[in-house]
Amino acid sequence: MIKTRSTRTSSGGKTGLQTVILIATMFLGYTMIYIDKLSISISLVPMSKDLGISPSQKGLIMSAFFLGYAIMQVPIGFLNTKIGSKKILTASIFALGIFAALFSFGTSVIYFVLIRFLSGALAHSGYAQSVSKEVQANVPVTQRTFANGILLSSSGIASILGPIFVSPAVQNLGYKQTYIILTVIALVIGLILVVVIPNSGNVQKTNSDRKNANKVSLGKILSNKIVWLLLICDFFVNSVMYGVINWTPSFLTSDEVGFTLTQQGKMTSVAGAFFLIGALGGSYIVGKFFADKERDVITVFAILGSVALFTAFHIPHGGAINMIPMTICFAIGDLSYAIAFTTLLSLPLKRFRPTEFAPIYACVAMGGILGGFIAPYSIGFLVEKTGGYASVFTSFLIVGLLFALAIRFVPKHYTPIDAEPVMTEAEELLEQEL
């Protein structure tokens, strides 16, 4: 667990209790980020019927978000280094609330595409990297996998709360009123972030730090093969994860399967609970017992999760009797991908220096964002052209296996760009024991 003893960090003496409060607050914001991502897949179900939105247009709306996210990811990464993470964090949540409100006024596909594009570019693009920068600055390397897992487990919380509350709200109140409610919640969370997160003093830079930060360039970052390998892995894992997140409600409520919006909400909530278990439990176990064996963990769970999702489709469709086995398959898939995903994103936290972390993390995250951009639209295209979801779940299996293969090319031990070798997690644990 995250220790609560006083610990000197790069922040200059933050206690364990302060770190726990910091993580809890950022967790709250992260949950809002994921609920916003999740709500679009739920709201598009009735919207497509009311406004005559086709599957490919639904995919375009969902993909527009990730296009904006991708375009601004690296620029925000460099801006993060210049102005600090608190400004990026708080601005992201406030912007999320504003764009949620604007989305509620939409009546056309072009409008929805534009709003989701801007939400990805100006609201979401800076939050994850800012949170990770705070973790790197304030949490010891041996605890970063678990701390990162706690934060990313907010996706599981969102997957539980989202379907339980958003699905009935959309069904009973309508998507317009639901987005107004989400706006209010986002603004409240933004105010909490402003109060709790320390000002720029959370990372007191020395003159040397500032000098090194100014030397960081995009060309230097992109010349590192590790960045590219992690980017590719992030692309594969997010292609599957966002494909499942964005299209599961449509799949389960389609004529092919026949569940109601409320029924699918219950099913995806159970799967979300298992994502939560995987993110928390998996990150703790991996960080404590599998230091420097991340590649093996990712390989095993990428294969297991892909097979589970593929199996979910081949369970006979329709009828409440098939809800349980199908839910179990989705739950195993979510659990496995949660472990693989959080383990993958713990690697940059333990291997790159603080002065260059934000832009490096942004470049790695670019792969995941591109996966999130390509997957929703390509799935919509497949559904429209084939008239079903068989090809979609086959693609989940193929991409998942490619992820398991790609992670094998990431070196077990490596060093930061232009830096002296750093201790591995196992070496730091050994030093602490001595």
Side-chain angles (χ1 to χ4, degrees), residues 219-240:
K220 181 188 293 185
I221 291 170
L222 295 180
S223 67
N224 189 311
K225 70 175 183 178
I226 304 302
V227 173
W228 284 101
L229 288 170
L230 293 176
L231 182 152
I232 291 170
C233 289
D234 205 20
F235 171 82
F236 286 140
V237 68
N238 276 277
S239 293
V240 176

Side-chain angles (χ1 to χ4, degrees), residues 265-281:
K266 294 178 181 178
M267 295 173 69
T268 52
S269 290
V270 172
F274 276 81
F275 188 98
L276 175 64
I277 293 170
L280 285 175

